[in-house]
Amino acid sequence: MRLKKRSFLKLALLGVGVASLYSFSWNKTEVDTLSLLQEDLFPDLSDSLNVRTINARSYLTYILHHRKVSNKNKRFIKKGVVWLDEEADMLFGKSYSSLLSSSRQKVLESIAKTEWGESFIETILTYLFEALLGDPIYGINRNKVGWKWVHYTPGLPRPWSPAFL
Amino acid sequence: MKTKYDVCVIGSGAGGGAVAYELSRAGFNVAVLEKGKWFKEANFSKDELAVSKREIYSPNLKDEYHIIHVKEDGRYVRYDGREYSWSFWNGCIVGGASNFMSGYFHRLKPKDFRLRSIYGEIEGANIADWPISYEEMEPYYVKVEQVVGVSGKVKRHSFLEPRSTSEFPMPPLHENGVTQWFDMACNKLGYEYIQTPRAILSKDRKKRASCYYSNFCGSYPCSSAAKGSARAALLQPNGIKVITEAFVYNLESDAKRIKTAHYYDKNGLSHKIEAKIFVLAATPIESCRLLLNSKNTYFPHGLSNNTRQVGKNLIFSAGGSGSGTFKRLKLSKESFATLIQPGVFFNRSIQQWYEYEKEGKKYKGGTVDFLFEHANIIPRVKRQIWDEDGGIRWGRSLQKAIEEHVPNERRLNFEVFNDWLSTDGTFVSVDEKAKDKWGIPVASIYLDPHTHDLEVGEFLAKKAINVLHRMGAENIQSDISASPPSNLVAGGCRFGDDPKSSVLDRNCRSWEVENLYVSDASFMPTGGSVPYTWSIYANAFRVADGIKKVLTGDSMKNLNF
């Protein structure tokens, strides 16, 4: 199988890749905003299939600290939260988390027209899909709800321990 | 610790594994130094998050990384691999990248050995003939078929390379019924197709179980040892001594010979190994890096680099990929059931345009392999976030698209392999200011591909698209680009007959350091238009034969061990 280099130019164009390397800390407000964003991007399909049953918040929190996730990605997510709130404030005079669901969707529609906003939504959805479709050994995709939803049969052998934690 | 061996092999992938296997079996005292850990089949699983997303078999880029310079608008733009999650690691465990290959095995053709003589020079490219012929390599291709294991069916076609055996040692792997649609399409188009030979066992072998059709082959290490990795096929069954988690950072030499290899263990403690002969096989980029970092009084520009050839003429496999989609809505129930049958392979290739003519001139073409899209589910679902107009979607519209497409479609991909012409602007150096966790300068990779590569790739992609159209696929697309695939790297230590323009002689022995050999893909002046692994294995067996003669002959007296 031919492997390609990662698509890196998109984030490079956003101009967030020039700062020096540093470690990240995340406050509760940032994580709450990201968690709410996950719900807005992936609304409940049923009681058994939603961002809570796939443990999307905990997984994202873990990923935000993971050594194999690049600082560039982490930095982009951190800035994305700031920019999301700035967009919400510009449109409605409030932070994203303070808005009603319908207004939050308006904010998302607005940022989706920008290059950073499109990349931000893509990034958050990428990690959400990992929680939805990764092996339940990681405490995600509870009862294989994600796999059942898309009629997916995992490869064997499945992992017997969470290898990348 | 200081130990003496006949041969010290640095790297345990296809290039190092074959040398270690051959010399150990011949009774020599061999030690392999491998940076990664030793895993066995029981350790492997199809954990998409761990293997494909977090890449647990590759180094943490914060510890070990590459600096990449890309020629853009006439100047190099520098990318720090840590920042851009971009590297050329391809599996750092015993067996190296061969654990993660798909095992599409094609031999080089006789013309691949004489590219410059047959097709002439191309402006801006450093094309060179190989110093050896196909006929010299042929017995070693056969050896790989037998020792590593290749399954398939030999079919006569326009560019079938001469074979000294009539068949592969193993029958083809089981195939998906959709291959019949492919065969019919090719027949109607007048295209020659072949069953792709695979380095995967279709029958059990001693200590290795046959393929169990896991549906997850490429990118994943094999849980049955059917895939012909250097670990499963050569090192593990033969009890070869591999010192794991040993990062070699310096080769200490005098004016003629390496005396000692210095390596760090997992705790950062330095060790030494002495040997009569050292064989470097750490991947082209890392082999060049080690040589360039091993400077001393006799070799101020790096070991074996007094003619300044080390790192030059780095090549990749040019080409790209494409796909077509088959949908449940357009198929009968039976046809769709055939389409989604998991596990069994597609295994079809076209080599009809390995050479082609355009406007009265002959061109070197290449290979097109066809294969089903990888079974990893996350990319297949993620693809649905883009609507038909390229806009992003989320919420209910995204969920609806996932439900509509993911369970009801399957993609057939194609991959184009053609020559990446070496240029002055594509090479490996070291970055003295960028250091890894051990404080050793990292490899600095410069990329300036030749435009000719894209023209050939586009030509071949059009042929592949014709097949997909004829099969009835929809949403057909292709992406031929100059992006260098991280798993198809060669060159940097060319072999040749002229010491001024090559690093190695025809036996892959250094011109400047008499007990240094390089047996990974570094030796290749041109890469051919196929995946490299079979040729790496074959050449490494050939190199081992040369070393055997040296170790048993009079020339050993001069090595003064």
Side-chain angles (χ1 to χ4, degrees), chain A:
Chain A
M1 188 170 72
R2 173 182 285 276
L3 302 179
K4 288 183 177 179
K5 70 179 169 62
R6 294 278 299 271
S7 176
F8 65 94
L9 290 174
K10 202 166 184 180
L11 288 179
L13 288 169
L14 299 171
V16 294
V18 292
S20 61
L21 299 170
Y22 60 94
S23 56
F24 288 81
S25 61
W26 300 84
N27 62 45
K28 185 173 181 301
T29 305
E30 289 169 327
V31 176
D32 285 346
T33 301
L34 288 168
S35 181
L36 184 61
L37 177 58
Q38 288 179 319
E39 289 184 35
D40 293 338
L41 295 176
F42 197 86
D44 292 8
L45 277 164
S46 67
D47 287 345
S48 61
L49 180 50
N50 51 61
V51 292
R52 295 171 301 285
T53 57
I54 63 172
N55 221 351
R57 178 187 172 117
S58 298
Y59 182 76
L60 181 63
T61 308
Y62 179 74
I63 283 297
L64 293 175
H65 293 91
H66 197 274
R67 66 190 183 283
K68 283 243 173 174
V69 173
S70 72
N71 284 337
K72 184 175 183 61
N73 252 3
K74 292 172 184 170
R75 189 158 51 243
F76 178 59
I77 293 171
K78 204 170 185 67
K79 290 196 175 185
V81 174
V82 173
W83 294 339
L84 184 70
D85 273 336
E86 286 177 357
E87 189 75 10
D89 187 58
M90 192 179 75
L91 290 176
F92 299 104
K94 291 180 179 177
S95 69
Y96 185 80
S97 304
S98 306
L99 297 175
L100 294 173
S101 173
S102 56
S103 300
R104 296 200 301 271
Q105 288 297 326
K106 297 280 185 200
V107 173
L108 293 179
E109 286 165 17
S110 180
I111 68 166
K113 293 172 187 159
T114 69
E115 198 167 357
W116 80 262
E118 199 175 66
S119 285
F120 185 56
I121 292 170
E122 180 189 0
T123 302
I124 301 305
L125 277 172
T126 299
Y127 293 125
L128 191 150
F129 287 147
E130 290 187 15
L132 176 71
L133 300 161
D135 197 283
I137 193 81
Y138 293 99
I140 54 179
N141 184 15
R142 200 170 296 156
N143 297 323
K144 308 174 191 172
V145 286
W147 291 348
K148 289 174 187 167
W149 181 48
V150 296
H151 304 276
Y152 174 69
T153 305
L156 297 175
R158 282 181 48 201
W160 48 88
S161 66
F164 77 83
L165 295 186

Side-chain angles (χ1 to χ4, degrees), chain B residues 368-428:
Chain B
V368 187
D369 285 341
F370 290 81
L371 63 159
F372 278 123
E373 179 180 22
H374 197 285
N376 274 347
I377 187 64
I378 294 170
R380 288 164 53 203
V381 169
K382 189 187 164 187
R383 190 161 66 227
Q384 305 307 324
I385 69 175
W386 305 108
D387 64 25
E388 291 73 18
D389 300 319
I392 196 162
R393 59 186 164 199
W394 63 89
R396 297 288 180 214
S397 66
L398 171 62
Q399 291 168 331
K400 191 179 166 198
I402 292 169
E403 288 168 351
E404 184 181 328
H405 294 285
V406 175
N408 298 312
E409 297 177 354
R410 191 168 192 188
R411 272 189 177 189
L412 182 62
N413 290 349
F414 66 83
E415 296 182 344
V416 172
F417 297 86
N418 59 277
D419 283 84
W420 173 295
L421 299 180
S422 56
T423 66
D424 286 343
T426 301
F427 60 94
V428 184

